[in-house]
Amino acid sequence: MIVGGGFAGHRCARTLSRLARGAADIVLLNPHDYFLYLPLLPQVASGALDPRRVAVSLTGTLPGVRLVLGEADGVDLDGRRVTYTDPEGGRSTLAYDRLVLTVGSVNKLLPVPGLTEHAHGFRGIPEALYLRDHLTRQTELAGASDDPAERAARTTFVVVGAGYTGTEVAAQGVRLTDALARGNAGLNGTYAGAATDAGEPVRPRWLLLDIAERVLPELDRRLSRTADRVLRARGVDVRTGTSVREARRDGVLLDDGEFVPSRTLVWCVGVRPDPLVESVGTPTERGRLCVDEYLTVPGHPEVFACGDAAAVPDLTRPGEVTPMTAQHAQRQGAVAARNVAASCGRGEARAYEHHDLGFMVDLGGFQAAADPLHVPLSGPLASLVTRGYHLAAMPGNRTRTAADWLLDAVLPRQGVQFGLVRSGSVPLDSAAPELARVPAPGGG
């Protein structure tokens, strides 16, 4: 049984299915029926990609694997059973001979007053759809307002966290809101009755905050400088060494005492392991399950863990554990599958060891920062390499994704909101950001 269908879980199930050749019953327990290609989620929020492009069918790409829809909420190691809640609220259990835990991660929270009430994370499709609607709605409401202060607040967007996600959300988001503002008569100065200052256009304002000294602090400084330069050229107000002291309905109070009127706060500070990890009852390191180099949980040779849920020893950096990245998760999933097969008498177990192949950050348009095989690149070449890497890494939807990129390059984006995901459906403190919260029957 594999719990979790993310980068590690999907790769594990796919590899194990190929190795087993029908000789094993492989079960994948996951809350939804798709694998989310998380690196492209900012492009969904900015309208560059249809959300279906980043949602790859599990049943369509995992032949021979039985999908069980449900949210795992308990593991009984002695009884070798996993309890879960299905999409309709029913509780069930599944037995296993071998267990692979790949439950991933959720939003990392900090004790900031008002954060969970007024901010939104960015870990799932519901959050991306909500943010796209929200950016469009705020721009339209600003264009309809006669109050300059309200217009300014509604067109001010604050992103906290300048890592991968935050940097890409700001880089992609500013392109969307600039396009929306240019097409809005109340903001572009073309409407004679608009309460703009002397008919001057109103340009949306984006702030990217981080307590680190630079954007993308976990990457090479050359990539950081490239991303910083692109962001600032697009008008993003990049503030390093700065964070949020308090989140309010009408704005954000920064730790330097400045109050920024805004209706948008996107929280991209980081991630933490899924809460299921705590219920397993085995030792953890920084919230991640301790495993050996073979991805086995000590004392339980039938239990494996990898991806964001596991503290996997990094054999390339003795004494450290592998970072929580998709690159490591995918490769750990493949190794876990081979070691599960080896534990059943097919093949030999192998230790996990991987030297990173470089990192890539898509900044939208023809801009990116990348260092494939540690060769620093920027501009259109980096963008081409980055998108080529994503297409190669995706287990499906490649042609449709490439088509969306081509159309986005030659056609204007469609600035409409559907209202399918409301604010209350994607709370920041959710342990399942991939699922929109649905009100109970009769709950209004």
Side-chain angles (χ1 to χ4, degrees):
M1 181 192 303
I2 302 166
V3 181
F7 281 96
H10 187 277
R11 178 62 66 85
C12 181
R14 198 168 190 171
T15 304
L16 195 55
S17 176
R18 186 175 67 250
L19 294 173
R21 297 179 181 178
D25 180 15
I26 305 171
V27 177
L28 175 63
L29 176 63
N30 201 56
H32 45 79
D33 64 354
Y34 61 85
F35 158 76
L36 172 62
Y37 193 77
L38 191 62
L40 295 183
L41 202 58
Q43 298 192 37
V44 173
S46 65
L49 288 179
D50 186 291
R52 292 173 296 178
R53 307 298 176 254
V54 300
V56 180
S57 169
L58 291 176
T59 55
T61 56
L62 297 176
V65 176
R66 181 164 66 97
L67 173 65
V68 176
L69 294 178
E71 181 78 22
D73 49 32
V75 178
D76 179 2
L77 296 178
D78 294 329
R80 296 195 179 190
R81 305 184 73 84
V82 174
T83 60
Y84 69 96
T85 303
D86 67 33
E88 296 182 344
R91 288 180 57 80
S92 301
T93 61
L94 289 170
Y96 64 84
D97 295 309
R98 301 291 188 275
L99 175 66
V100 185
L101 293 171
T102 64
V103 287
S105 55
V106 297
N107 292 307
K108 179 181 179 181
L109 303 180
L110 297 178
V112 176
L115 182 66
T116 57
E117 293 86 359
H118 305 297
H120 282 91
F122 201 80
R123 294 291 298 170
I125 288 180
E127 291 172 315
L129 292 178
Y130 166 76
L131 182 60
R132 187 177 67 180
D133 271 7
H134 178 79
L135 298 179
T136 305
R137 181 166 55 253
Q138 293 305 313
T139 305
E140 292 171 347
L141 290 174
S145 175
D146 293 328
D147 182 357
E150 180 184 353
R151 285 202 314 277
R154 291 193 182 280
T155 55
T156 297
F157 309 97
V158 182
V159 180
V160 184
Y164 284 107
T165 303
T167 297
E168 291 194 353
V169 166
Q172 301 278 358
V174 68
R175 298 184 71 237
L176 173 63
T177 55
D178 279 352
L180 293 173
R182 286 194 299 268
N184 189 297
L187 297 177
N188 62 21
T190 61
Y191 177 51
T196 53
D197 299 332
E200 290 296 323
V202 175
R203 186 181 182 187
R205 177 192 182 197
W206 282 76
L207 281 79
L208 177 61
L209 316 176
D210 201 298
I211 59 173
E213 64 173 9
R214 58 189 174 93
V215 300
L216 300 173
E218 65 272 34
L219 301 188
D220 184 274
R221 287 184 177 273
R222 289 170 293 186
L223 299 186
S224 176
R225 286 194 294 269
T226 296
D228 187 274
R229 182 176 66 252
V230 171
L231 289 167
R232 295 182 188 275
R234 291 180 183 168
V236 177
D237 185 356
V238 179
R239 300 193 187 186
T240 55
T242 305
S243 191
V244 175
R245 180 187 300 175
E246 182 181 357
R248 302 175 184 172
R249 184 179 181 278
D250 59 346
V252 179
L253 179 64
L254 306 185
D255 56 7
D256 61 5
E258 179 185 353
F259 181 74
V260 179
S262 174
R263 301 291 190 275
T264 307
L265 177 58
V266 186
W267 187 256
C268 302
V269 168
V271 295
R272 57 190 171 94
D274 189 283
L276 178 69
V277 170
E278 300 175 359
S279 71
V280 175
T282 60
T284 61
E285 180 177 343
R286 296 185 180 181
R288 303 167 73 184
L289 286 171
C290 291
V291 297
D292 60 22
E293 65 270 28
Y294 297 95
L295 309 180
T296 306
V297 175
H300 296 274
E302 78 285 357
V303 180
F304 302 78
C306 55
D308 291 355
V312 179
D314 192 340
L315 300 183
T316 69
R317 301 181 301 167
E320 300 185 36
V321 298
T322 57
M324 300 166 74
T325 66
Q327 187 177 138
H328 279 292
Q330 278 190 318
R331 286 161 177 79
Q332 288 169 9
V335 172
R338 295 184 182 279
N339 291 349
V340 167
S343 73
C344 297
R346 179 167 294 184
E348 295 184 0
R350 64 178 63 176
Y352 176 75
E353 183 175 2
H354 170 66
H355 294 269
D356 75 75
L357 304 177
F359 298 93
M360 305 178 188
V361 181
D362 194 323
L363 301 173
F366 298 102
Q367 295 294 332
D371 63 343
L373 302 177
H374 306 290
V375 178
L377 300 174
S378 61
L381 179 58
S383 179
L384 180 64
V385 170
T386 297
R387 295 192 172 185
Y389 170 82
H390 286 316
L391 290 178
M394 294 179 71
N397 297 351
R398 296 187 183 95
T399 301
R400 294 178 185 274
T401 299
D404 272 10
W405 279 335
L406 177 61
L407 292 174
D408 183 63
V410 299
L411 297 176
R413 295 186 185 179
Q414 296 174 292
V416 295
Q417 53 170 315
F418 292 101
L420 298 176
V421 180
R422 297 293 185 178
S423 176
S425 301
V426 285
L428 179 60
D429 60 352
S430 173
E434 69 279 358
L435 297 174
R437 183 173 295 177
V438 179

